[in-house]
Structure formats: C-alpha cells, structure tokens
C-alpha cells in the first residue's frame, strides 16, 4: 500500500511472491517538495526484512519511508521494519534503517519525519524549485584502476566541470572488477548516488568515463537527472571557447559524431512521418531522417575544413618562402602556453586559469636582438583521454605542428600530476608522428614550487629549462636554447 501523509491509502498493489511493480508516481510529487509525500508499506512472505531493492525503491521514488511487514505461514503479521532518507550529514549516510520491532509496537511519526527532512533541505536552500542549483553537479568515477588514480582523475574532471560552469557538490568513486554494461555502476551504488543527488539537490551527474548510449539512457531514465560523461563535458567547453569559424566547425563536427549513435526514437509507432498522398508506405523513420541530416552536415563540415587546411598550407608555404623558422608551443591544457606567448611577444592573447581557454592557433612574430625573426605559434592544449572524434576534428589545428622547426613543450611544474601530463602530451605527439621534431622541455610556474622540488625535477629532467611565464627575465635561458636548436 502507498499511504499519504494524512494516513490515507492512495494505492493498493498486488504483486508476486518475489516482488511488486510500483507504477509511475510523478503526479504525486509536489513542485516545492523534495519527496513524493507517500510511504510504502509492503509484505514479505517470509522472515526477510528490508532488502537493497526496497531501499533503492525508496531512493529512486523519493518515498517518505519504506516499511516491510513480515507474516507467519498462516498470514498473521509478525514484525515491522522501516527506513527513511536522511538530510546531508557528517557521516554521509544516505538513509537510516531502523531495527525491526513487533508490528503493533511501531511508535514513529512518519509525517513529522518527512516534514522535518524537507524543512532541513529547505533550510540549506535545497528545493526542487530552486533554479540556483541547476548548475550543481556530482562527479562519478567507475573503473578497475586503484582508488588513488580514480581520485586524481576526478580532480581533473572537477577542473573541467568548473571551466564548463558547473558547481561540484559531491563525488562518488566505485572500484569494480567489471563495469556494468547497462548502468556502468551497481544498482546499490546507483541508489546511493541518487540519495546524494537528492541531498545536494544536484541536477547533473558527470561521469569520468565515456558512457555508452545505453548506459547514458538507462542512468538518465532511472535518476531523472541530466547525465553527462567526460567527452560531453570537453565538447561543451570547446563549444564555449571556440571563437573563429574554423574552431566552431571543428567543435560542431565532433559533437555531431558523438550525437549520432545516441539518437533514439521516442516512439516507433509515431516515428514514420513521411507518408501521405504521394508518399504512402512505411516511409523513412524520423530517426533515419535525423541521422541522414547529421551525415550530410558532417560531410559538409569536412569539405569546409578541407578548405581551411588548404588555406593553412598556403600560409605555411608563404612562411617557408620568407625563410622564417616556426616555433610551436605544445603542452597540457592550462600549462601556461598562452601566457608564455604573451610575455615573449608582448601580445594580449586570451590567457586564463582554465582548461582549454585557447582553442584556435595563434601566431606572432618574435624578433631576437641580433635582427633575427621567428614565428611563435600557440596551439590547443592536450589532455588525457582526449576524445578520438575531437582529435580528428582538430587535425586542421594540430597540422600547424607539422611545419614547426622546434617544439617548446610547456609543462606545469607545480602540478602534482606533471609526469602523467608529460606522458599524455608525448603520446599525442607520437600519434601525430611529429615526435621527431627537435623540442625543448620548459617547466613553467617554478615560482610556485620549493627549492627541493626544483632540484628533484632537475635531476629527473636534466635537459629541462625552468621558467616562470609571467616573469620575462626568467625566459632568457629558454630563448637561448631555442636559438641554439634553430
């Protein structure tokens, strides 16, 4: 039975021995309420008490409480056990399960408990109707890597989320031997995630792993929240930061390629919309039409990007005729490449403490004291697990690196994951077959590290040049090294 807060049964459900099917309860939810206003009282036809399934139902249906009544073989009631959700708490407990008692000795005010929970959520400004929480997100990592590796990857995901304009209000890490192909994480952990999202009033769930279309659809349907993965987050950041027509085309192509396998028809019976006079028959489904349009748009973008590549090639050939050597800045995102370009060339290229602040390549002339000039080029930053579609889309940008005479690999010496970032960049350079170009390793932001750390880095990377991109005098050794290579 589903019972409202006035104690009136509003629904009676008959199930089978091993379970019941609860219908859609959306009409019982109140706009300002965090909970459904209903509690579930059901029987187990044996001596078993509340199960994980019961607690999941409570979380996903946002029930005020869930109660189980055990019965004897002759149908007489025996014991009662109940549980209810908890507001945010120091122990981070999603719900409280009370011990079982004799069925007619239950002394608990369910209505007052639900009201107190909603008052506590409202007191902290957490109401469903609050639009201020629209940007609140919970980060989730599910995988077989050690927990420390997952947590470090989540820290980078948190930076990506902040760059995209999301506020991170919680994190969930689950280490599994095998990822659930339907939901990516176990149903029990998914219930905990739903309760955490309920407590924090987070409208968005961001997964550190790339979700399959099935996983994304299933998690979204169960939790009724916006579900994003790492790839979508990066694509969104790129879309926000793309300034030139070329950059916008590259982002659009990557987004369309990502979207194509995730298109799902809402209703097959209603999807065949191209019938009518002169067009009777099964026709083409709306889904097929959408996919055809996407394929046509991708082909068009590829053509336009092809002309961009030709234009860039012509520009490079003019540079070659002029005899100006090209030095390209490469490195992990937010390592300080744009700041270095600005300081060396006294330019004002956008440089922010954000991931992927620069997407479009920028070239500036740099004159050395002995009347020698070079072209200094800033490129898009790299990142671990860069989506393949995005890498392909940005080939027009990355091809700028092929014509470089020297690469300056800029790294953030103050970052705890610097070594992993160095390897990520080297891996992408190998993929682009440009790892044979002479390069200089510039360890940036040395003003943020201790002398001991600097000595340790000098031991591990004896050929590195230590710089601070915001301090022009510190760049002299880097300039000398580049001149020597040229």
């Amino acid at each position: 039975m589903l019972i409202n807060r006035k104690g009136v049964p509003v629904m009676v459900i008959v199930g089978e021995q091993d379970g019941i099917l609860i219908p859609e309860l959306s009409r019982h939810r109140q706009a300002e309420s965090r909970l459904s206003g209903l509690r579930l009282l059901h029987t187990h036809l044996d001596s078993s008490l509340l199960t994980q399934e019961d607690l999941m139902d409570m979380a996903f249906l946002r029930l005020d409480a869930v109660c189980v009544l055990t019965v004897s073989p002759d149908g007489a009631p025996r014991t009662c056990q109940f549980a209810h959700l908890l507001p945010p708490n120091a122990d981070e407990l999603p719900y409280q399960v009370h011990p079982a008692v004799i069925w007619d000795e239950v002394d608990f005010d369910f209505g007052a408990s639900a009201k107190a929970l909603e008052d506590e959520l409202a007191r902290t400004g957490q109401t469903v109707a609050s639009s201020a929480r629209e940007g609140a997100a919970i980060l989730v990592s599910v995988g077989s890597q050690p927990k420390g590796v997952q947590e470090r990857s989540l820290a980078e995901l948190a930076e990506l989320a902040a760059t995209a304009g999301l506020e991170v209000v919680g994190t969930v890490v689950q280490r599994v031997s095998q990822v659930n192909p339907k939901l990516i994480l176990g149903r029990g952990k998914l219930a905990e995630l739903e309760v955490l999202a309920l407590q924090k009033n987070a409208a968005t769930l961001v997964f550190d792993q790339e979700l399959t279309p099935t996983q994304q659809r299933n998690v979204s349907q169960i939790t009724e929240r916006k579900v994003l993965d790492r790839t979508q987050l990066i694509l969104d950041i790129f879309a926000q930061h793309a300034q030139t027509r070329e950059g916008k085309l590259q982002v659009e192509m990557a987004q369309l390629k990502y979207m194509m396998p995730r298109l799902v028809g809402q209703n097959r019976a209603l999807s065949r919309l191209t019938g009518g006079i002169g067009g009777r028959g099964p026709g083409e489904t709306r889904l097929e039409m959408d996919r055809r349009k996407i394929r046509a748009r991708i082909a068009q973008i590829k053509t336009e990007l092809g002309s961009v590549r030709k234009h860039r090639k012509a520009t490079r050939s003019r540079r070659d005729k002029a005899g100006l050597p090209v030095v390209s800045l490469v490195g992990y995102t937010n390592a300080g490449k744009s700041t270095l370009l600005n300081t060396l060339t006294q330019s004002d290229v956008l440089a922010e403490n954000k991931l992927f602040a620069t997407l479009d390549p920028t070239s500036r002339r740099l004159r050395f004291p002995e009347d020698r000039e070079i072209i200094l080029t800033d490129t898009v930053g790299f990142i671990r697990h860069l989506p393949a579609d995005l890498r392909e889309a940005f080939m027009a940008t990355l091809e700028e690196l092929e014509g470089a005479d020297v690469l300056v690999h800029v790294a953030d010496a103050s970052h705890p994951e610097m070594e992993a970032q160095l390897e990520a960049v080297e891996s992408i350079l190998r993929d682009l077959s440009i790892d044979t170009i002479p390069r200089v390793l510039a360890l940036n932001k040395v003003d943020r590290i201790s002398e001991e750390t600097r000595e340790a880095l000098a031991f591990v990377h004896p050929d590195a040049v230590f710089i601070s991109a915001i301090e022009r005098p510190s760049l002299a050794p880097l300039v000398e090294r580049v001149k020597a290579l040229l």
Side-chain angles (χ1 to χ4, degrees), residues 332-354:
Y332 210 76
T333 181
N334 206 28
K337 299 182 295 300
S338 298
T339 304
L340 178 59
L341 178 81
N342 286 339
T343 306
L344 281 172
T345 63
Q346 297 182 333
S347 305
D348 55 355
V349 174
L350 175 67
E352 292 183 295
N353 186 24
K354 285 184 176 180

Side-chain angles (χ1 to χ4, degrees), residues 327 329 341 344-345 362-366 374-378:
V327 177
L329 304 178
L341 178 81
L344 281 172
T345 63
T362 306
S363 297
R364 295 287 186 271
R365 288 196 178 207
L366 176 61
I374 66 167
I375 300 292
L376 193 63
T377 304
D378 182 20

